[in-house]
Amino acid sequence: MPPGERLVQRVSATRTFARIAPHVIPALDRAVHRLTRGRVLLSARMLPGAILTATGARSGRPRRTPLACLPQDDGGWLLIGSNFGRPGHPAWTGNLLKNPEAEVSWRGRDIPVRARLLTGEERARAWRAARDRWPPYAAYQARVAREIRLFRLDRR
């Protein structure tokens, strides 16, 4: 584990972080991503990150959201709808449920993807992998009554 990662994980698991981070981290990520032409996400210093462009469930308009992700060995991605341990599902998860065709900006390339909500044993395996990679996910789940949504993104 890189120096400082344990501290960042402890801070990330707090309720204070959950209140502040959703207002600060995505805005910083979008700005840095734009300035570096898609090559850099600040939040990716701890977890791999991508920009998801999904169609808004109500608006029908493209919605760009910087997200932590877990790249898969076969070229897909796992997205965790933790919302930093806040009560409601993040909006991007509802967008993917209604409109699973999306796009991921990954390492400076825009890649068309199709999202699939994980359930059952497949979800359980993915959840264990997510928790192993980023332990604060367990704290996020413990704070909320909802089941955190996990999505698998596959290239189209």
Side-chain angles (χ1 to χ4, degrees), residues 15-31 42-43 65-66 83-87 90:
R15 291 180 190 276
T16 300
F17 183 84
R19 279 194 309 275
I20 297 168
H23 306 288
V24 175
I25 292 174
L28 283 173
D29 267 343
R30 275 191 284 274
L42 288 179
S43 61
T65 309
N83 206 14
F84 299 97
R86 295 170 28 185

Side-chain angles (χ1 to χ4, degrees), residues 106-121:
W106 175 250
R107 296 181 176 163
R109 292 183 37 232
D110 294 331
I111 302 165
V113 295
R114 180 165 182 81
R116 182 171 50 85
L117 180 66
L118 300 182
T119 60
E121 184 52 36

Side-chain angles (χ1 to χ4, degrees), residues 62-139:
R63 301 294 182 202
R64 292 176 56 81
T65 309
L67 298 170
C69 65
L70 297 178
Q72 304 296 288
D73 292 338
D74 62 3
W77 295 267
L78 177 64
L79 299 181
I80 299 95
S82 68
N83 206 14
F84 299 97
R86 295 170 28 185
H89 291 290
W92 64 264
T93 67
N95 294 343
L96 288 180
L97 287 173
K98 183 164 184 190
N99 302 298
E101 304 289 318
E103 187 175 87
V104 164
S105 178
W106 175 250
R107 296 181 176 163
R109 292 183 37 232
D110 294 331
I111 302 165
V113 295
R114 180 165 182 81
R116 182 171 50 85
L117 180 66
L118 300 182
T119 60
E121 184 52 36
E122 185 179 26
R123 184 201 180 278
R125 279 192 309 276
W127 180 244
R128 284 190 297 273
R131 277 192 344 244
D132 288 349
R133 179 59 184 91
W134 192 249
Y137 285 138

